[in-house]
Amino acid sequence: MPYKIRSYPEFSACGLNCGLCPRYYTDGPSRCPGCGAEGFTEAHCSCSVIGCCERKGLEYCFLCDEYPCNKYEGADLTDSFITHKNQFMNMDKAKAIGIEAYRAEQNAKIQLLEHLLANYDDGRRKSFFCLAVNLFELADGQAILEQLACEVDPAAPIKEKAKAAAGLFQAAADDKGMILKLRK
């Protein structure tokens, strides 16, 4: 059964922020278009979560009376992407502030990430920037971007700009006790 095209594939049915994922910004066959977007089934042959949501007529798991269900057991422990640990936090936030407010915040984070990728990525920082923007609160990411604008010459070599951006995010992560790398 083909999946229906979701209205906002940048936030997955299971609580991942697809619009902040490195695979969303990849060119080529490993690119993921986002949860339930056109081409989703080519990237993810079967997804029990989105299938369940469709059967129940729901856009997101947090709208289900059974949320959280056993489909999530252990998922946050096995995936190397730290952002899986935030699935419940993301869904709880979307439920608390409303999906439209959550989408607006995510869209602002996506713009922040796209600015970083366009201006500070030396070809080796995409995953790092995706993870940082995903895990930091929007205001923290915006503050780091403002600091970069003040401290880094826009004409500086890209490697210098990338190092400065990564350094500021890493320092802020260290201050908050955050880990900005894949789990093993």
Side-chain angles (χ1 to χ4, degrees):
M1 167 178 104
Y3 297 118
K4 79 169 197 174
I5 303 300
R6 295 182 71 239
S7 64
Y8 188 74
E10 290 80 5
F11 184 50
S12 75
C14 69
L16 294 175
N17 295 316
C18 299
L20 301 175
C21 177
R23 285 190 62 202
Y24 190 80
Y25 294 95
T26 299
D27 292 325
S30 66
R31 182 182 186 280
C32 178
C35 180
E38 188 171 336
F40 176 78
T41 55
E42 288 79 21
H44 304 281
C45 296
S46 71
C47 175
S48 63
V49 172
I50 197 169
C52 181
C53 280
E54 285 190 352
R55 282 190 299 282
K56 294 179 178 184
L58 302 172
E59 191 81 9
Y60 302 100
C61 287
F62 69 82
L63 299 171
C64 182
D65 293 337
E66 297 173 40
Y67 165 78
C69 70
N70 62 4
K71 287 180 179 30
Y72 291 97
E73 286 182 19
D76 63 336
L77 302 174
T78 58
D79 200 287
S80 62
F81 285 103
I82 295 170
T83 53
H84 275 269
K85 290 180 8 181
N86 290 358
Q87 283 176 283
F88 293 122
M89 186 173 66
N90 295 340
M91 286 192 285
D92 291 344
K93 184 174 186 177
K95 190 175 188 175
I97 67 172
I99 193 62
E100 292 307 316
Y102 191 83
R103 286 179 180 182
E105 182 178 302
Q106 288 310 105
N107 288 338
K109 281 185 159 193
I110 288 168
Q111 287 179 332
L112 191 151
L113 175 60
E114 289 174 350
H115 180 79
L116 285 167
L117 294 176
N119 297 287
Y120 296 94
D121 182 23
D122 60 0
R124 300 177 42 207
R125 312 277 181 172
K126 177 173 46 178
S127 290
F128 178 85
F129 289 145
C130 288
L131 186 58
V133 173
N134 201 328
L135 295 179
F136 276 97
E137 291 295 326
L138 176 60
D140 294 331
Q142 289 170 329
I144 292 170
L145 205 58
E146 288 172 16
Q147 189 176 355
L148 280 168
C150 291
E151 296 178 7
V152 178
D153 180 359
I158 191 66
K159 286 189 182 258
E160 185 179 313
K161 290 168 44 175
K163 183 177 178 182
L168 288 177
F169 273 104
Q170 189 60 59
D174 291 344
D175 287 346
K176 292 180 178 292
M178 294 170 119
I179 298 171
L180 295 179
K181 61 182 178 180
L182 296 178
R183 298 185 290 180
K184 304 255 178 189

